[in-house]
Amino acid sequence: MKLSEFKFDLPESLLAQHPAKNRDESRLMVLHRDSGKIEHRIFKDIIEYFGDGDALVLNDTKVFPARLYGNKEKTGAKIEVFLLRELNTEIHLWDVLVDPARKIRVGNKLYFGESDMVAEVIDNTTSRGRTIKFLFDGSDEEFYKALHDLGETPLPKEVIPRETEASDKERYQTIYAKHTGAVAAPSAGLHFTREVMKRLEIKGVDIAAVTLHVGLGTFRPVDVEDLTKHKMDSENFIVPAEAATIVNKALDAKKRVCAVGTTTMRALESSVSANSRLKPNNGWTDKFIFPPHEFKIANTLLTNFHTPESTLMMMTAAFAGYEFLIEAYQLAIKEKYKFFSYGDAMLIL
């Protein structure tokens, strides 16, 4: 397929700037692939679509406050430092993005607030990318606490350009987030409340957790018309044996296996055994899923509404069927559904 086939006019007013007042009261569009029927519901109604023996697979990655603001030595120029991933925990070496990049060269030092945190630029990686080393006197525990205190919730500025608010720290995180490592939230999971989770469990739905640490590559624009030439950034993921057991039990019983989010789907599709079952795994995936694609594990997908020409929209189209998804998106715009991380949800059965 071609990039231009995923272009559509999305009114700016439909890009959600804040989440729904209550997590489980965002809207839910339900797509029935077998009949072509589309329903309009509220998220908490999701429990009606699952029953005994079905499996819900979550991504339990935890977003860390990845956006820091520092000052360049001598000039005092304000520099944004966006942490991508730690390369070496012993010497606190990190891959980061800096802005404005033209001011930051190898050898420059950055100072952060009133803290004792200083970073030195070690290498250039991309146009905005740098490798930096934090110079910090203190224990690892004190270092990570200082980073956490200095950091800001990493809302994607291109789509949510407002200042972060105190509430974002809680709302841009799933209630089941466990393993720190993501720089963006697995947004389909943001709608779940403890009550919804409990009601699903009471109905006999088995909950499985995998981990995929969402990187900024998830939002990287596709700049080639021929999708086969696009390369995804690698993301670290873990499929525990316990999750594989739960999922395979549901598959064997011909029950629903619902991937909560495109990041969960990437992890599942990156860990398929020879007999089309989920296998335990721990590694990196650069899997790019776009139409046509035969999904091996999940037969149900919960996701948000995605921006035009995004890899997230492409994966969703591969699952729903391209024409059906375009129809649903046109209806979503007409009905004023909210798009992107803080937006509404879509359940594809």
Side-chain angles (χ1 to χ4, degrees):
M1 293 197 78
K2 304 294 184 194
L3 175 64
S4 50
E5 293 178 80
F6 293 91
K7 198 170 197 154
F8 64 94
D9 290 326
L10 178 61
E12 212 168 287
S13 60
L14 297 186
L15 285 168
Q17 298 301 299
H18 292 87
K21 187 179 176 189
N22 298 311
R23 287 179 187 263
D24 59 4
E25 288 177 1
S26 53
R27 296 167 75 187
L28 176 69
M29 181 185 279
V30 184
L31 274 57
H32 296 263
R33 290 181 293 174
D34 54 354
S35 64
K37 180 182 167 190
I38 295 177
E39 295 180 273
H40 303 286
R41 308 293 299 268
I42 298 296
F43 186 80
K44 61 175 69 170
D45 299 335
I46 195 170
I47 58 172
E48 294 177 26
Y49 298 93
F50 294 94
D52 191 33
D54 290 337
L56 200 69
V57 192
L58 314 168
N59 180 5
D60 66 4
T61 188
K62 190 172 188 178
V63 180
F64 63 91
R67 184 174 279 119
L68 310 178
Y69 291 97
N71 296 95
K72 193 177 165 188
E73 66 174 339
K74 295 176 184 167
T75 68
K78 187 178 179 183
I79 306 293
E80 179 187 306
V81 177
F82 194 100
L83 304 175
L84 293 177
R85 60 171 171 245
E86 192 166 22
L87 302 172
N88 185 313
T89 52
E90 286 179 23
I91 58 171
H92 302 310
L93 206 63
W94 285 75
D95 251 347
V96 303
L97 295 176
V98 294
D99 188 30
R102 67 184 185 281
K103 293 186 175 181
I104 299 300
R105 297 185 171 89
V106 173
N108 288 159
K109 283 190 177 150
L110 300 169
Y111 295 81
F112 296 92
E114 302 299 311
S115 71
D116 297 328
M117 190 76 81
V118 180
E120 183 178 357
V121 181
I122 303 296
D123 196 12
N124 296 331
T125 52
T126 61
S127 58
R128 283 182 58 211
R130 302 289 185 272
T131 301
I132 66 171
K133 178 182 178 181
F134 284 102
L135 312 171
F136 183 79
D137 286 332
S139 67
D140 285 353
E141 193 179 334
E142 289 168 330
F143 169 74
Y144 293 115
K145 185 184 183 307
L147 267 195
H148 199 274
D149 292 345
L150 285 167
E152 194 178 88
T153 304
L155 295 180
K157 276 188 169 179
E158 298 75 16
V159 184
I160 307 177
R162 65 172 173 79
E163 292 289 313
T164 57
E165 298 163 12
S167 60
D168 290 315
K169 201 161 222 175
E170 180 210 346
R171 294 302 303 272
Y172 196 64
Q173 193 84 269
T174 63
I175 60 162
Y176 47 76
K178 190 174 179 184
H179 301 292
T180 303
V183 299
S187 53
L190 296 177
H191 308 282
F192 283 95
T193 58
R194 301 203 187 284
E195 185 190 359
V196 168
M197 299 285 286
K198 193 70 192 164
R199 291 179 71 185
L200 285 165
E201 287 178 27
I202 289 168
K203 286 191 79 174
V205 177
D206 292 315
I207 312 288
V210 300
T211 307
L212 184 137
H213 293 312
V214 189
L216 277 190
T218 294
F219 306 118
R220 192 185 299 284
V222 179
D223 53 13
V224 287
E225 178 68 3
D226 180 355
L227 297 186
T228 61
K229 292 186 165 53
H230 178 68
K231 293 283 183 286
M232 290 287 284
D233 287 3
S234 287
E235 291 171 319
N236 185 226
F237 78 102
I238 300 165
V239 176
E242 183 186 358
T245 300
I246 290 169
V247 167
N248 292 336
K249 180 183 162 194
L251 287 176
D252 291 341
K254 297 191 164 32
K255 297 287 187 178
R256 282 199 167 136
V257 174
C258 179
V260 175
T262 55
T263 59
T264 300
M265 185 69 88
R266 275 188 87 202
L268 297 179
E269 289 294 295
S270 300
S271 200
V272 182
S273 70
N275 64 339
S276 295
R277 289 295 180 265
L278 186 63
K279 64 181 180 184
N281 208 344
N282 184 346
W284 294 81
T285 179
D286 60 357
K287 196 170 192 68
F288 175 33
I289 298 172
F290 59 96
H293 179 84
E294 185 188 341
F295 290 85
K296 298 288 200 307
I297 305 295
N299 49 38
T300 307
L301 173 64
L302 176 70
T303 188
N304 275 24
F305 289 87
H306 305 297
T307 49
E309 299 183 313
S310 62
T311 59
L312 309 178
M313 180 191 176
M314 291 164 192
M315 182 195 290
T316 308
F319 192 83
Y322 173 78
E323 287 81 9
F324 194 21
L325 186 77
I326 296 299
E327 178 195 340
Y329 271 33
Q330 287 171 345
L331 182 59
I333 291 168
K334 184 182 165 203
E335 297 291 333
K336 296 190 164 35
Y337 276 77
K338 294 288 189 177
F339 281 66
F340 209 61
S341 303
Y342 273 155
D344 294 313
M346 173 186 277
L347 179 65
I348 307 168
L349 302 171

